[in-house]
Amino acid sequence: MKEEEKTRAYAWAKALCHYAGEDESFLESFFAMLTASEGVSSEFLYYLEHQDFLCAHKVAGYSLIDIMVWQMDHFKAQLDRDRSEMKSNGDKMLLEAFHTMLLMEQDPEYYVNLMQSETGTDYPDKY
C-alpha cells in the first residue's frame, strides 16, 4: 500500500471504527492486519474509492459479498436469539465483513464452517 493510500485508508478505518463503536485498540489491530494483507487492503481501498465491492480477492472461494450475505443471515440468527448488536449499524456490518475476511485468511476452515452452518432461521423446516 502506498503511503498516500495508507493515510487515506487509516483515516477511513478510524472513522468506520468510531461509527461501529470500536475502540482504539481494535482500530490498531484491524489496521495492522489490513496493511499486512494485500488482497483485503485492495478490497478496502476499492470500497473507499467506489463505495462498491471489487470482489477480486477470495479466501477459500469466498468474496467480501459472500461474507456480507453470511453476516446478514447470521444477523437474522442473532435476532432470533435477541442478541442483535449490529441492528441499524451498517458501518459495523461493513467493518465486520473486512475484519472477518482478514481473520478468514488466517483460519479459512473455521470461517467456512461457520458460513456453512450458522444461518438465520427464516425459512421453513430449517431445524
Side-chain angles (χ1 to χ4, degrees):
M1 197 183 293
K2 298 174 187 171
E3 199 57 40
E4 179 184 319
E5 291 173 330
K6 195 172 185 178
T7 301
R8 289 180 54 236
Y10 185 82
W12 185 50
K14 185 175 182 176
L16 200 54
C17 285
H18 170 76
Y19 291 118
E22 298 295 347
D23 62 16
E24 189 78 21
S25 176
F26 181 90
L27 167 63
E28 296 306 322
S29 174
F30 172 76
F31 198 71
M33 291 172 64
L34 182 68
T35 55
S37 171
E38 187 177 324
V40 180
S41 65
S42 67
E43 296 282 338
F44 192 80
L45 288 168
Y46 186 87
Y47 192 91
L48 173 59
E49 299 260 333
H50 304 280
Q51 282 69 59
D52 198 3
F53 296 99
L54 178 61
C55 293
H57 181 65
K58 294 185 179 179
V59 179
Y62 290 93
S63 71
L64 248 127
I65 291 287
D66 296 321
I67 292 170
M68 287 289 292
V69 168
W70 170 72
Q71 282 183 320
M72 285 183 244
D73 203 27
H74 181 71
F75 173 71
K76 291 175 194 171
Q78 296 301 316
L79 282 176
D80 292 342
R81 295 182 196 115
D82 199 27
R83 296 182 302 169
S84 56
E85 68 181 45
M86 285 195 281
K87 190 175 186 177
S88 301
N89 193 334
D91 293 318
K92 185 162 184 72
M93 190 167 281
L94 180 62
L95 178 63
E96 285 298 317
F98 283 108
H99 188 235
T100 298
M101 184 170 249
L102 289 166
L103 295 172
M104 194 174 185
E105 284 183 329
Q106 296 172 6
D107 190 359
E109 189 175 314
Y110 173 77
Y111 287 92
V112 167
N113 182 47
L114 284 178
M115 290 175 73
Q116 293 177 353
S117 63
E118 177 64 37
T119 61
T121 57
D122 58 341
Y123 56 91
D125 302 322
K126 165 122 192 225
Y127 292 105

